[in-house]
Amino acid sequence: MGYWLVKSDPEEYGWDNLVHDKFTSWTGVRNHQARNHLATMKKGDMVLFYHSQKDKAIVGIAKVTKEAYPDPTAGEGNWLTVDLAPLRKLKKPVTLETIKSDKRLTGMPLIRQSRLSVMPVKKEEYDIILTYAG
DNA sequence: GCCAACGTTGGC
DNA sequence: GCCAACGTTGGC
């Protein structure tokens, strides 16, 4: 099973929108690295849902319900999307500050590559993050 | 609001 | 093919 983290600006599309919609197609990724990560996702993989900008925290866990397929919102180029469904909300959001303060987590692309919006998470990192979530 | 990081574009 | 200029993202 794979573990991932996706970022979203909650003012555009946040966790609450995902819960309301029941599932969503994760369209709009226009970065090659992020696209390659989407391509690697498997059905059933766990996806940490991170709110950028105002929140700067992981707020919930989603699940991959459909593996990569062409992004219908892309005019040119072979961009991909996956379907995500909400699994559960974290009892306590895990903030960027918390992640930065734990030496075991400072290697994450979330910190080292702040602009990347879809990234892999190691199982160890995933487990550590969940211990912070209460 | 500013700035760093990074990707993209276009002139040469 | 290089690099400067510019746009976007996201943390501070």
Side-chain angles (χ1 to χ4, degrees):
Chain A
M1 163 155 347
Y3 301 90
W4 307 91
L5 183 147
V6 298
K7 276 190 202 173
S8 188
D9 180 352
E11 293 194 359
E12 276 189 40
Y13 192 91
W15 176 258
D16 291 341
N17 298 98
L18 182 60
V19 170
H20 176 264
D21 293 347
K22 306 282 199 292
F23 79 98
T24 196
S25 180
W26 204 251
T27 57
V29 171
R30 298 291 182 271
N31 169 286
H32 292 273
Q33 247 185 300
R35 192 269 317 273
N36 293 343
H37 293 319
L38 289 179
T40 315
M41 288 185 184
K42 296 289 175 210
K43 191 172 175 180
D45 282 358
M46 298 298 184
V47 181
L48 297 172
F49 197 98
Y50 177 84
H51 278 173
S52 64
Q53 309 288 354
K54 294 235 169 96
D55 279 9
K56 280 170 290 184
I58 297 165
V59 295
I61 303 171
K63 205 167 182 174
V64 178
T65 55
K66 188 177 176 187
E67 293 177 15
Y69 57 99
D71 182 346
T73 69
E76 290 282 310
N78 62 330
W79 298 110
L80 299 172
T81 181
V82 297
D83 284 358
L84 298 179
L87 201 60
R88 65 184 176 91
K89 187 177 182 171
L90 299 184
K91 274 186 217 156
K92 284 188 293 179
V94 179
T95 64
L96 182 64
E97 200 185 357
T98 300
I99 293 166
K100 285 174 104 169
S101 70
D102 190 319
K103 283 210 181 77
R104 297 168 297 172
L105 300 177
T106 49
M108 292 179 70
L110 183 67
I111 293 165
R112 303 184 53 212
Q113 231 181 316
S114 70
R115 288 185 56 199
L116 189 61
S117 63
V118 180
M119 66 191 77
V121 176
K122 293 179 185 145
K123 185 179 189 319
E124 306 88 78
E125 293 165 343
Y126 180 86
D127 289 341
I128 292 164
I129 287 164
L130 286 201
T131 65
Y132 285 116

